[in-house]
PDB file of all heavy atoms in Angstrom:
ATOM      1  N   ALA G 128     -12.705  -3.188 -15.373  1.00  0.00           N
ATOM      2  CA  ALA G 128     -12.268  -1.807 -15.586  1.00  0.00           C
ATOM      3  C   ALA G 128     -13.339  -0.802 -15.104  1.00  0.00           C
ATOM      4  O   ALA G 128     -13.000   0.196 -14.478  1.00  0.00           O
ATOM      5  CB  ALA G 128     -11.968  -1.605 -17.069  1.00  0.00           C
ATOM      6  N   ALA G 129     -14.594  -1.134 -15.372  1.00  0.00           N
ATOM      7  CA  ALA G 129     -15.682  -0.221 -14.998  1.00  0.00           C
ATOM      8  C   ALA G 129     -15.718   0.002 -13.482  1.00  0.00           C
ATOM      9  O   ALA G 129     -16.108   1.080 -13.012  1.00  0.00           O
ATOM     10  CB  ALA G 129     -17.009  -0.757 -15.485  1.00  0.00           C
ATOM     11  N   GLU G 130     -15.313  -1.010 -12.715  1.00  0.00           N
ATOM     12  CA  GLU G 130     -15.343  -0.849 -11.250  1.00  0.00           C
ATOM     13  C   GLU G 130     -14.207   0.059 -10.774  1.00  0.00           C
ATOM     14  O   GLU G 130     -14.345   0.762  -9.775  1.00  0.00           O
ATOM     15  CB  GLU G 130     -15.259  -2.213 -10.565  1.00  0.00           C
ATOM     16  CG  GLU G 130     -16.628  -2.772 -10.265  1.00  0.00           C
ATOM     17  CD  GLU G 130     -16.568  -4.052  -9.429  1.00  0.00           C
ATOM     18  OE1 GLU G 130     -15.854  -4.088  -8.405  1.00  0.00           O
ATOM     19  OE2 GLU G 130     -17.244  -5.006  -9.844  1.00  0.00           O
ATOM     20  N   PHE G 131     -13.069  -0.011 -11.474  1.00  0.00           N
ATOM     21  CA  PHE G 131     -11.977   0.929 -11.149  1.00  0.00           C
ATOM     22  C   PHE G 131     -12.487   2.352 -11.374  1.00  0.00           C
ATOM     23  O   PHE G 131     -12.280   3.251 -10.557  1.00  0.00           O
ATOM     24  CB  PHE G 131     -10.755   0.670 -12.024  1.00  0.00           C
ATOM     25  CG  PHE G 131      -9.834  -0.405 -11.488  1.00  0.00           C
ATOM     26  CD1 PHE G 131      -9.903  -1.710 -11.908  1.00  0.00           C
ATOM     27  CD2 PHE G 131      -8.821  -0.075 -10.549  1.00  0.00           C
ATOM     28  CE1 PHE G 131      -9.046  -2.694 -11.416  1.00  0.00           C
ATOM     29  CE2 PHE G 131      -7.965  -1.050 -10.056  1.00  0.00           C
ATOM     30  CZ  PHE G 131      -8.060  -2.368 -10.488  1.00  0.00           C
ATOM     31  N   VAL G 132     -13.186   2.531 -12.518  1.00  0.00           N
ATOM     32  CA  VAL G 132     -13.703   3.864 -12.865  1.00  0.00           C
ATOM     33  C   VAL G 132     -14.668   4.339 -11.767  1.00  0.00           C
ATOM     34  O   VAL G 132     -14.581   5.471 -11.267  1.00  0.00           O
ATOM     35  CB  VAL G 132     -14.412   3.849 -14.237  1.00  0.00           C
ATOM     36  CG1 VAL G 132     -15.144   5.155 -14.493  1.00  0.00           C
ATOM     37  CG2 VAL G 132     -13.421   3.538 -15.349  1.00  0.00           C
ATOM     38  N   GLU G 133     -15.577   3.460 -11.364  1.00  0.00           N
ATOM     39  CA  GLU G 133     -16.558   3.808 -10.318  1.00  0.00           C
ATOM     40  C   GLU G 133     -15.837   4.208  -9.025  1.00  0.00           C
ATOM     41  O   GLU G 133     -16.195   5.194  -8.376  1.00  0.00           O
ATOM     42  CB  GLU G 133     -17.479   2.609 -10.016  1.00  0.00           C
ATOM     43  CG  GLU G 133     -18.621   2.475 -10.989  1.00  0.00           C
ATOM     44  CD  GLU G 133     -19.310   3.801 -11.299  1.00  0.00           C
ATOM     45  OE1 GLU G 133     -19.780   4.454 -10.335  1.00  0.00           O
ATOM     46  OE2 GLU G 133     -19.373   4.213 -12.466  1.00  0.00           O
ATOM     47  N   ALA G 134     -14.804   3.427  -8.677  1.00  0.00           N
ATOM     48  CA  ALA G 134     -14.082   3.696  -7.416  1.00  0.00           C
ATOM     49  C   ALA G 134     -13.376   5.047  -7.469  1.00  0.00           C
ATOM     50  O   ALA G 134     -13.288   5.735  -6.463  1.00  0.00           O
ATOM     51  CB  ALA G 134     -13.075   2.567  -7.148  1.00  0.00           C
ATOM     52  N   VAL G 135     -12.885   5.420  -8.663  1.00  0.00           N
ATOM     53  CA  VAL G 135     -12.233   6.715  -8.810  1.00  0.00           C
ATOM     54  C   VAL G 135     -13.268   7.845  -8.655  1.00  0.00           C
ATOM     55  O   VAL G 135     -13.053   8.817  -7.944  1.00  0.00           O
ATOM     56  CB  VAL G 135     -11.506   6.813 -10.162  1.00  0.00           C
ATOM     57  CG1 VAL G 135     -11.057   8.255 -10.448  1.00  0.00           C
ATOM     58  CG2 VAL G 135     -10.297   5.881 -10.176  1.00  0.00           C
ATOM     59  N   LYS G 136     -14.408   7.662  -9.313  1.00  0.00           N
ATOM     60  CA  LYS G 136     -15.462   8.705  -9.226  1.00  0.00           C
ATOM     61  C   LYS G 136     -15.931   8.858  -7.783  1.00  0.00           C
ATOM     62  O   LYS G 136     -16.166   9.973  -7.311  1.00  0.00           O
ATOM     63  CB  LYS G 136     -16.635   8.314 -10.117  1.00  0.00           C
ATOM     64  CG  LYS G 136     -16.349   8.516 -11.596  1.00  0.00           C
ATOM     65  CD  LYS G 136     -17.593   8.228 -12.411  1.00  0.00           C
ATOM     66  CE  LYS G 136     -17.321   8.447 -13.900  1.00  0.00           C
ATOM     67  NZ  LYS G 136     -18.378   7.876 -14.727  1.00  0.00           N
TER      68      LYS G 136
END
Side-chain angles (χ1 to χ4, degrees):
E130 268 187 48
F131 274 95
V132 171
E133 278 314 304
V135 168
K136 286 184 179 166

